Amino acid sequence: MIVSTVKNLSGEARKGVAVLAVAALAAVVLAYLLLVWNAQAAERLAEARSGHDLVAARTAKAVREGATRLTAADDVAPMFLEGATPGLAFAEFQSVAGDAATAAGLAVKRMQPVDPGDSEGSAPYRLSMDAEGSIGQLRDFLAGIESRLPVMFVTGLEIQPAAGAGEGDPYPSESLRMTVRIEAYGWRVQP
């Protein structure tokens, strides 16, 4: 019925009906987009409230338990690599990481600095270490490196069997090659 009515209209009237139909469709699409945007905004708001509630709960728990905050009197220097220059701080970093690997029984094959890129003075020192050992030695190394001072973070780990292609190894977890990427921050003495 509507189609027959539209056919009876003049050319200008049909153009007007088409414009109205396009405008109605555009209004429906706009309303749908607004509803979707509103739903996403409500979801982001709920996530933010959840995060806020979590932080508030942790803060309240810390206050109840009598946790203290760091003050100027607290000695945080042991958390950072020491060194009057970046080269000396990096040398300490290599020494501490190498000692941890040796203590865990890993055989260190290579240690090299990783360029932090064009960042400001707060960029961490980065180290890439190639080593060989067992899965147990790797576990001991990872536990040791992340639980000692200065504070260090393992940011990457690649593991592969030490046996070459086509070679059989009855105990592959006892002979692994690994590359470990570690980060630490240095404490720079200001002149």
Side-chain angles (χ1 to χ4, degrees):
M1 180 158 180
I2 293 176
V3 175
S4 65
T5 305
V6 170
K7 284 183 180 180
N8 292 335
L9 296 176
S10 68
E12 289 297 317
R14 277 190 245 152
K15 287 181 186 176
V17 169
V19 168
L20 287 175
V22 169
L25 180 62
V28 168
V29 168
L30 182 61
Y32 175 75
L33 291 176
L34 287 173
L35 287 173
V36 168
W37 178 79
N38 189 29
Q40 289 175 344
E43 185 176 320
R44 285 192 302 271
L45 180 61
E47 288 175 6
R49 283 185 180 152
S50 174
H52 177 269
D53 292 344
L54 178 65
V55 169
R58 287 185 178 173
T59 302
K61 180 181 177 188
V63 168
R64 279 192 313 272
E65 293 176 356
T68 57
R69 294 177 183 244
L70 288 175
T71 65
D74 292 315
D75 184 19
V76 296
M79 295 174 63
F80 299 94
L81 296 168
E82 291 183 25
T85 65
L88 291 174
F90 193 81
E92 180 194 0
F93 187 16
Q94 285 180 309
S95 175
V96 171
D99 290 347
T102 301
L106 292 177
V108 177
K109 299 299 180 186
R110 181 177 63 120
M111 256 195 252
Q112 69 180 27
V114 177
D115 182 18
D118 296 331
S119 52
E120 298 298 319
S122 64
Y125 293 95
R126 291 188 174 108
L127 175 71
S128 178
M129 182 177 74
D130 294 337
E132 291 182 357
S134 70
I135 195 77
Q137 292 167 331
L138 175 61
R139 180 196 63 231
D140 293 344
F141 170 71
L142 294 175
I145 203 78
E146 288 201 335
S147 62
R148 66 172 46 210
L149 292 176
V151 176
M152 293 180 275
F153 305 97
V154 175
T155 59
L157 177 63
E158 296 173 18
I159 305 171
Q160 62 184 9
E167 297 177 15
D169 188 349
Y171 305 104
S173 67
E174 296 303 311
S175 182
L176 301 171
R177 277 189 235 143
M178 59 205 73
T179 300
V180 185
R181 285 178 295 287
I182 309 166
E183 291 185 358
Y185 285 88
W187 186 262
R188 292 186 172 91
V189 178
Q190 300 296 324

